[in-house]
Amino acid sequence: MGSVRIAFKEWAVVVDALGRGEQILILRKGGISEGRGGFRLEHSEFWLFPTLYHQQAECVVDEARRRFEPVLPQLQNSNVASIEFLARVVEWHRVEDLAAAQRLQGQHIWKEDVIAQRFDWGPTQNIFAIAIRVYRLAKPIQIPLISEYGGCKSWIELQPDLSPETATPVLSDSEFDAALQRFRTTLAGEASMPGH
């Protein structure tokens, strides 16, 4: 596998759940810096970049919050980011029906009312539901935090490129296939796009 420079900013508590194999979904509306066009799925392979930006413990289910709270002080006082997980997009849906988005409850750690708020935020009523296969590095890579990584945006370019050579799947093929099938069944009828 070649080196990868692109990273996707996501709440550290969500990266934790993805890394544990508890979910295969990223739900995204878009960052302020992404302008009126909103979020676009610009990359099919990327690192997960854990962030505390806009981190709100009350937005996730109790179990996820309790598991994550002990490591918060360490993250808040750190001047480095720990890159441990690579993601590959399998397929994605632009979900334009709130009821369909809410049927995904149980497949991610967001609270139901948070999904409704995100769905309604901005000029359009929708949310992106992205199914990813997650791979874990043999050892996390610590990279210095620089100003270019800041701001309310989804995509950043890491310095330097990182190699995913040691990365192995978080879930087995059968576990991932089962989670993906559940996702597909839930969103049957929604417009979708396969990953590259």
Side-chain angles (χ1 to χ4, degrees):
M1 291 187 286
S3 60
V4 178
R5 174 170 286 190
I6 297 300
F8 181 85
K9 294 176 66 175
E10 182 57 278
W11 283 13
V13 67
V14 175
V15 174
D16 177 70
L18 290 164
R20 291 172 180 269
E22 295 175 358
Q23 68 184 62
I24 65 167
L25 301 185
I26 291 174
L27 298 173
R28 183 54 58 101
K29 185 63 179 247
I32 295 171
S33 299
E34 284 153 343
R36 297 184 64 182
F39 174 74
R40 294 191 304 274
L41 188 58
E42 299 173 10
H43 307 279
S44 60
E45 183 177 64
F46 46 86
W47 298 104
L48 294 174
F49 187 96
T51 178
L52 297 179
Y53 197 71
H54 288 169
Q55 184 82 34
Q56 298 179 46
E58 65 270 18
C59 292
V60 299
V61 297
D62 291 344
E63 181 182 351
R65 185 179 71 243
R66 285 193 299 267
R67 185 179 60 238
F68 190 71
E69 281 175 347
V71 301
L72 272 175
Q74 177 184 347
L75 288 165
Q76 289 167 334
N77 298 323
S78 179
N79 59 359
V80 298
S82 181
I83 305 297
E84 188 174 2
F85 301 106
L86 181 79
R88 289 187 176 142
V89 175
V90 177
E91 67 179 63
W92 59 272
H93 297 250
R94 181 180 174 132
V95 183
E96 298 182 338
D97 176 58
L98 178 58
Q102 291 177 327
R103 285 197 299 271
L104 291 168
Q105 199 66 31
Q107 298 182 51
H108 58 78
I109 63 172
W110 295 98
K111 287 184 175 178
E112 186 172 340
D113 61 331
V114 174
I115 297 302
Q117 292 167 12
R118 292 291 178 95
F119 186 91
D120 286 334
W121 182 82
T124 59
Q125 290 189 313
N126 59 55
I127 198 166
F128 286 85
I130 308 159
I132 59 172
R133 186 83 188 262
V134 179
Y135 300 79
R136 177 187 283 109
L137 289 172
K139 183 179 179 181
I141 299 172
Q142 308 296 318
I143 63 171
L145 291 177
I146 58 176
S147 59
E148 285 82 358
Y149 300 160
C152 189
K153 54 192 174 187
S154 298
W155 304 106
I156 57 175
E157 192 169 308
L158 299 180
Q159 301 176 21
D161 296 8
L162 303 180
S163 172
E165 186 176 343
T166 67
T168 56
V170 167
L171 293 175
S172 68
D173 289 349
S174 60
E175 289 170 329
F176 179 78
D177 289 345
L180 181 61
Q181 185 56 48
R182 182 183 179 194
F183 171 70
R184 287 172 169 168
T185 300
T186 301
L187 292 183
E190 293 293 312
S192 65
M193 180 69 69
H196 301 288

